[in-house]
Amino acid sequence: MQTTEISLLVLLAVAFVVYRQFRTRPTGRLGVLYTAGAMIAGGVIMGGLLDPVHPVLGLALFAVEALGAVALGVWRATTVRVWLDGSGATWAKGTGWTLVAWVASIAVRLGLYVAGQWLGLAPSAGGILIFVGLTIGVQAYLVARRGRALIAMNERPDTVER
């Protein structure tokens, strides 16, 4: 597949993930982590992550992209509402801030793509897959972790005597 085709498929996957984030869902389901892992693995397998003409510059841009993906995933995770229902199950749903964070994530990715082009680096579909896989995976992991923390806090006996 060409970079354009992969970019369109990734865009569809991101649209689906964003859509699901605005629906109430249990935090314990980790299917999106498998999807994120598959995207990262696919990006590595596709290769082309480093420009052979400018390997140091390509590595630097890749590092910025990876750090940016993680940071944006952390930010989006903090914008998701996570709560415990009466039966002890945890749920999550995106907020308006989650949408703002997604728009910022897309803008950052496009900005990094343009910066790479401006620097003369060859575009990499594998890089796109890794960025999206990292950012989605980090967000999903942190939301699930927040859900587990709510359950643990609810199960912990009250240590304060009255």
Side-chain angles (χ1 to χ4, degrees):
M1 276 195 224
Q2 299 296 327
T3 301
T4 305
E5 293 166 332
I6 290 173
S7 298
L8 289 174
L9 288 174
V10 168
L11 187 60
L12 286 173
V14 168
F16 180 71
V17 167
V18 171
Y19 165 77
R20 285 191 32 97
Q21 286 181 7
F22 289 94
R23 304 191 50 90
T24 301
R25 66 198 187 284
T27 62
R29 292 192 180 157
L30 300 179
V32 73
L33 285 177
Y34 296 119
T35 303
M39 291 177 108
I40 293 168
V44 170
I45 290 169
M46 288 183 76
L49 299 176
L50 300 179
D51 189 313
V53 178
H54 309 290
V56 174
L57 191 57
L59 180 62
L61 185 61
F62 178 75
V64 169
E65 289 176 349
L67 289 172
V70 169
L72 291 163
V74 169
W75 177 33
R76 283 194 319 276
T78 65
T79 67
V80 174
R81 180 175 173 247
V82 178
W83 70 95
L84 190 65
D85 71 8
S87 69
T90 56
W91 299 87
K93 185 175 183 178
T95 65
W97 287 110
T98 309
L99 183 60
V100 169
W102 267 111
V103 170
S105 297
I106 292 167
V108 166
R109 181 61 187 120
L110 288 173
L112 290 169
Y113 176 79
V114 169
Q117 291 287 339
W118 184 77
L119 293 169
L121 299 173
S124 162
I128 294 168
L129 284 172
I130 290 174
F131 181 92
V132 173
L134 273 174
T135 198
I136 289 172
V138 166
Q139 180 184 353
Y141 170 75
L142 292 175
V143 168
R145 193 171 97 177
R146 285 176 56 203
R148 287 190 304 272
L150 277 177
I151 291 170
M153 284 178 25
N154 192 46
E155 293 174 350
R156 186 174 25 177
D158 192 13
T159 58
V160 178
E161 291 185 29
R162 295 174 193 210

